[in-house]
Amino acid sequence: EEVAGEVTSADNQTTVLVQRLEAPIQVLILEGKPYWDSKFLSRNLGSDPVVALSSITRLGPERFLQRHLYQPGRQSDDDSSTSSDDWGIQTALESPLERMELLEDYRLVILGRDAESFLTPEAIENLRQWIARSGGCLLCARGAPSDQIASKLATILPVRWSASERARFRTRLSQYGVDAAVFDSLLSEGSDPLATLPSLASDAVPVPRSGLPQVLIQSVVDSTGTSIPVVTYQPYGSGQTIVVEGAGMWRWAFLPPEHANKDEIYPT
């Protein structure tokens, strides 16, 4: 609606693209070891009514934990309400990345740390085709999934990494992140709620690649006047790739009482 004194109302409307979902979004998490970060990420994704979550965690050389989470109240094929967490221990890895017909069931693949066992040459090529042609989304949840894999995925990821000593940093929305309105639900009275949250840790310095990458969240500027990208994405074919930098985000789910009003930040 117009407000008093507006010169023109031509910019008071916009076009919004809405994706109509006919089935839950299939999400796959692949972790090389059990981590607190992946545990809390799985808990939040598994509680989302539009997400059907599967995860595979490598526990040892021949032990893999496979889980399928079903949201309470979601309607199953027999039209009855279900609430379950199906899991099992497998002695041989059966990764959906190895078969394109299985991979195409998913909309989002999340890679954790130490993911070498999942990313064979065939799996990497399948991922590349799945993103570019099927519109899939690949998310590296805590920076580089491994040093070796980062180089093999270099052409499709929005950042590259250089070795560094372990460092801790806090985060803030970039100007692009504010303009993109992705995190509008986090903003209150123009303030940035991320800067006061517990710090994250990283063993490498990410640098955005030239071209299309966009930084949505970055670290708070340090004493040298520099910052690093924390959440970066880029389109790749008909899909996209995203990198979330830093370990320790699970601490955001345990906020002290004085920050209780920010409880919604972690799941968002």
Side-chain angles (χ1 to χ4, degrees), residues 24-52:
I25 297 174
Q26 299 282 342
V27 177
L28 174 65
I29 297 180
L30 301 174
E31 275 284 3
K33 295 179 182 178
Y35 285 103
W36 284 106
D37 283 292
S38 56
K39 177 179 179 179
F40 278 82
L41 178 60
S42 296
R43 178 180 297 178
N44 277 274
L45 287 174
S47 65
D48 192 321
V50 302
V51 170

Side-chain angles (χ1 to χ4, degrees), residues 8-77:
T8 176
S9 61
D11 59 352
N12 286 11
Q13 59 183 345
T14 187
T15 299
V16 178
L17 300 180
V18 179
Q19 181 182 8
R20 179 173 177 265
L21 297 177
E22 297 181 351
I25 297 174
Q26 299 282 342
V27 177
L28 174 65
I29 297 180
L30 301 174
E31 275 284 3
K33 295 179 182 178
Y35 285 103
W36 284 106
D37 283 292
S38 56
K39 177 179 179 179
F40 278 82
L41 178 60
S42 296
R43 178 180 297 178
N44 277 274
L45 287 174
S47 65
D48 192 321
V50 302
V51 170
L53 179 65
S54 299
S55 67
I56 304 176
T57 303
R58 185 176 184 267
L59 305 178
E62 296 181 353
R63 286 174 59 83
F64 297 87
L65 172 63
Q66 293 185 312
R67 300 180 65 191
H68 302 282
L69 301 180
Y70 300 90
Q71 165 68 12
R74 181 181 293 155
Q75 297 299 308
S76 63
D77 293 338

